Each structure stands twice: as C-alpha cells, then as structure tokens.
Amino acid sequence: MSPVQVRPAALFGFDLMYLTKEEESILEGEKGEGPAKAMELLVALGKIYQADKLIPIQSAQIAGVSYKTMGDAGLEFVKDFGDKEGAKVSVRSMLNPAGMDLESEGYEPEDFRIKQKELIDAYEKMGVKLSCTCTPYLAGNRPDGGEHLAWSESSAVSFANSVLGARTNREGGPSALMAAIIGKTPNYGLHLKENRRPDVVYEVKDEVSPSLLGYLVGGEVGEKVPYFRGLSISEDGLKSLGAAMAATGSVAMYHVEDVTLEAGDFSVEGLEKIEIDTEDIEGVKNELKETSDPDVIVIGCPHLSDRELKKVADLLEGKQKKEETPDLYIYTSRKVKDRSQEAVKIIEKFGKVITDTCMVVSPLEEKYRVAATNSGKAAAYLPKLADQKVIHADLKTLMEMVV
Ligand code: F3S
C-alpha cells in the first residue's frame, strides 16, 4: 500500500482501519453489488477486531456447504448472493465437505440430494472449486509458511497455522466467501505474529493417542495456543491432534517442540506447565466408552490422507469379512481417493469409501444410532450434530469389528 493510496475510511467512522482507493471504490459499488457487499462485511469485521488494513490472501476455504447444516435459509443466502452482479471469487477457493458424496448415492434422502445439489451449484456459479474437503492441503492446495489465507474449517485452520506456518483466522462461512470475492481479509488475530505465541505448555510424559490428547487438551485450553513438549508425532497425528482440539475447544493454533514450524520462534519460559500421562488419557477413554454395539464404523475425520487409507487397507487385506458387522464408511477427499485406487479397491470389499462429505455433516442419523470412530473430533461432534452414541477406539480395534 503506497502512502498515496492510503486513506482513512472516514465514511465508516474508523480511526484505525485504512482502505486503499481501490478498496473504497469497490465498497462504493464500482465492481457491482456482490463485491460491494463482500467489502462491507470485511470492513465491518475489521472494525470489530480493530484491524489496521486488509491484506491479500492466497486462498479461501469456505464452510457452509452441507445442506444439513445450512438448511433452506442458508441455501437462499448463498443463491441470492451468487446472483448479485460481480459475485465471483478472485482467488483460489475450495469448499468444505458437503452433505453427501456428489457422485454416488449414500444414506441421504432424495429431497436432501436435490437441495444439496442446488447449494453446490450456487457456489460453482461464483467460481468456487468443487473440491469439498476439510484437508485441502492434501488435495492440491498446500500453502507455504507465511502465506495469508481465509480458511474456515477448524481442523484445516489449525493444520494450516500450526503445521504449515500459514496464517489464517477461523473464518465463518460468510466471511471466507467474502474474502474469496475480494481476495483480501482484515489483518488481525492469527495474521499477526504476536498472537501466535504459546500460552501454556503441555509436557507429554508417555506415548499417547493424538486424537485423545487433543480431545483432552482442547477441553482445557479453550481458544488459547498450547505448546507441546515430549511429543513424537507424524503429520497424520498432527492432523488428528489439531482437529480434536478445535472441536472440544476452539484451538486454531498450537506448537509442538522440535516439530511444528514456529515452535522455536517463541520462549516458553514462565508459562504455566501441565503434565499429561497415560492415566489422563485413560480418563478420556472412559468418558468415550459406550456399551451398546455400534451399527456403523466411521473413519476419516479429518478426511484421510493417502497413508491413512493405505493403513486401513493393510488391516483388511486378505482377511475374511465377518458375517455380522457394522457398516463401514471411510471418508476422504476425491483427490486422495483418486490417487489411492489400490487401497480403495481393497477397502470396498468391506465398506464404502466416500468423498465430498463426512460423518458429521451428512445425515448419518437417518440410518444409524451408535457410531464407532477413531477420531477425537468426530467423538465430540457426532452426539451433538448427528444424534449418535459414540464409541472411540483405535483403528486396529475398529477393523477387528469387521474382519
Ligand atoms: Fe472434516 Fe467433517 Fe471432521 S469436515 S474435520 S471430517 S467433522
């Protein structure tokens, strides 16, 4: 922003937020009603969070895609907005999971499919790519450290900030969409280095399940930034850890000593230190123990990586399916499924590999009552959002229910 371009947005009564001439003209409607409305919302957000300016983003990831969570009011909002002049995304934009696999029928009723399709079409009309996934970083959009983004799905936000070192706030569906239209977002929160510093240190004493660790810590820290010490963890483990913390808490950023990109950038001296061992994790396991038998096994929250799909296939390969088993659904992105055909072929002898959706945002409750999962995030959300009783178990135990 050159000093010449910079002008206070006096029209909106700001002392702090500056808009360039171009941004002001968009606000005044020069590029059509769509961009004007989008700019209005971004400016209002900037005002609430005392941003100093708008900053360019590299990509947007937009939530508010499942008809189950959006309903008719949400559908109408997206359609109406998409009809406005100039309502086209200006940066690379992807969608969060929808309420169903877009290419094959599942457990959703027919009228649900029709409404879901309308919602997807409305996003497509605005130029959003129809890759419906919460792991865009495994499906062709892996941001570099320092890139600014406007992503909304909480596990994707956590992964982008913590593991990749990109910078994004936890956007709502509308704010991510508006940022996608303008190609910018207000400069506040996790876009600023000072807000990425750790608040509390967790010293992990034993080898523990990342998803259960995340389930426990998220519930304790709320929206603070935790810093883990003593954790030996894979990229898939980081994905599960962050997802669970974002579900039981609102963690959008965490650090793992000697593992995540910015862990070494801050001193943790003087911070509160909390120890975690297997006994603490046993407590979580007991909380997630359900005595009824599951009628469905759901794996892939967040969407599975290529490695995880292979792991599932390896546990099933060459085995005989039991006579009576719960149904098995594996959720992943279309890109990962396409890349993992060998694993998919093996898994589909025992269950279904579904893309574009997940166990939480699809109408699982239409058919099932008790779900077994290895995901801390799904364990937190399934009772509230899909009316399920939940059993949490590790992947091997879940596969032993099938073979
Ligand atoms: Fe992804 Fe659905 Fe879980 S959006 S993180 S699979 S709740």
Side-chain angles (χ1 to χ4, degrees):
M1 231 191 303
S2 77
V4 181
Q5 285 176 307
V6 175
R7 287 199 287 163
L11 252 179
F12 296 86
F14 295 150
D15 305 309
L16 295 169
M17 175 123 163
Y18 285 80
L19 297 185
T20 63
K21 277 183 185 169
E22 194 199 357
E23 288 160 359
E24 281 191 350
S25 74
I26 293 172
L27 192 56
E28 283 154 16
E30 207 157 279
K31 291 198 174 164
E33 198 192 349
K37 289 271 174 231
M39 186 62 92
E40 219 173 89
L41 186 131
L42 297 180
V43 167
L45 264 183
K47 185 175 181 179
I48 292 167
Y49 291 106
Q50 300 188 331
D52 58 345
K53 60 183 177 184
L54 296 174
I55 46 170
I57 53 164
Q58 299 298 316
S59 67
Q61 191 257 355
I62 301 163
V65 186
S66 164
Y67 176 67
K68 171 176 162 178
T69 55
M70 292 291 275
D72 286 327
L75 170 60
E76 283 317 307
F77 168 80
V78 177
K79 276 168 63 178
D80 281 358
F81 186 78
D83 284 341
K84 294 191 192 308
E85 188 197 352
K88 286 266 180 284
V89 299
S90 63
V91 290
R92 179 178 206 183
S93 304
M94 300 170 94
L95 290 176
N96 211 33
M100 63 185 196
D101 190 312
L102 301 181
E103 291 184 7
S104 74
E105 276 185 35
Y107 38 75
E108 64 285 334
E110 185 51 28
D111 54 337
F112 184 99
R113 288 194 74 78
I114 293 167
K115 298 278 191 168
Q116 180 64 73
K117 184 80 184 34
E118 273 181 51
L119 190 46
I120 290 290
D121 290 348
Y123 280 117
E124 191 172 29
K125 191 175 156 200
M126 288 187 263
V128 184
K129 280 182 82 173
L130 300 188
S131 38
C132 302
T133 180
C134 51
T135 57
Y137 48 88
L138 299 174
N141 184 7
R142 193 173 171 97
D144 288 332
E147 275 186 13
H148 293 278
L149 318 168
W151 284 17
S152 31
E153 199 285 316
S154 63
S155 77
V157 165
S158 167
F159 194 93
N161 279 318
S162 315
V163 182
L164 303 178
R167 297 185 177 197
T168 176
N169 287 318
R170 190 168 158 168
E171 301 289 346
S175 66
L177 177 60
M178 303 309 151
I181 302 282
I182 301 297
K184 293 180 180 178
T185 192
N187 190 32
Y188 71 94
L190 291 171
H191 292 286
L192 305 172
K193 185 81 181 178
E194 65 262 30
N195 295 326
R196 300 167 70 84
R197 65 177 62 255
D199 298 306
V200 50
V201 178
Y202 279 90
E203 300 192 326
V204 184
K205 296 295 172 197
D206 303 310
E207 201 176 309
V208 294
S209 142
S211 81
L212 293 175
L213 175 65
Y215 189 97
L216 175 67
V217 172
E220 285 181 5
V221 296
E223 54 184 31
K224 288 184 185 161
V225 178
Y227 180 103
F228 293 95
R229 207 170 238 170
L231 201 55
S232 144
I233 190 165
S234 66
E235 180 169 311
D236 293 327
L238 291 165
K239 174 161 78 75
S240 302
L241 171 74
M245 287 193 291
T248 54
S250 307
V251 176
M253 166 111 210
Y254 64 91
H255 302 279
V256 180
E257 194 166 76
D258 298 329
V259 176
T260 56
L261 214 70
E262 292 170 66
D265 294 0
F266 302 98
S267 161
V268 293
E269 239 183 75
L271 293 183
E272 182 189 3
K273 294 196 174 52
I274 299 169
E275 289 191 0
I276 289 200
D277 57 22
T278 35
E279 217 174 288
D280 299 305
I281 299 298
E282 279 308 311
V284 185
K285 271 193 194 162
N286 286 334
E287 202 184 304
L288 296 173
K289 217 176 241 168
E290 164 59 46
T291 43
S292 347
D293 288 335
D295 45 23
V296 64
I297 299 171
V298 286
I299 293 165
C301 172
H303 278 173
L304 292 194
S305 67
D306 311 57
R307 285 176 302 269
E308 290 172 312
L309 263 183
K310 180 160 185 326
K311 219 183 250 179
V312 176
D314 287 349
L315 287 166
L316 297 171
E317 192 173 15
K319 306 254 173 69
Q320 199 61 38
K321 190 174 178 183
K322 284 181 180 158
E323 254 175 47
E324 292 262 319
T325 74
D327 288 349
L328 172 65
Y329 292 106
I330 309 286
Y331 302 86
T332 187
S333 62
R334 190 162 294 282
K335 271 264 168 66
V336 169
K337 183 178 179 184
D338 288 348
R339 286 200 301 255
S340 308
Q341 278 311 306
E342 221 173 286
V344 170
K345 226 164 110 190
I346 295 166
I347 296 168
E348 296 215 308
K349 289 182 193 147
F350 303 88
K352 263 190 119 179
V353 178
I354 298 188
T355 62
D356 316 316
T357 186
C358 79
M359 65 291 270
V360 172
V361 300
S362 61
L364 194 72
E365 62 278 17
E366 290 283 333
K367 196 166 170 196
Y368 303 104
R369 285 286 164 264
V370 186
T373 184
N374 60 343
S375 160
K377 176 167 179 175
Y381 279 178
L382 282 168
K384 294 182 225 156
L385 302 175
D387 201 16
Q388 300 292 303
K389 289 183 176 174
V390 171
I391 298 160
H392 186 283
D394 60 33
L395 184 64
K396 190 163 174 281
T397 308
L398 294 177
M399 291 307 98
E400 283 166 0
M401 295 177 185
V402 180
V403 292

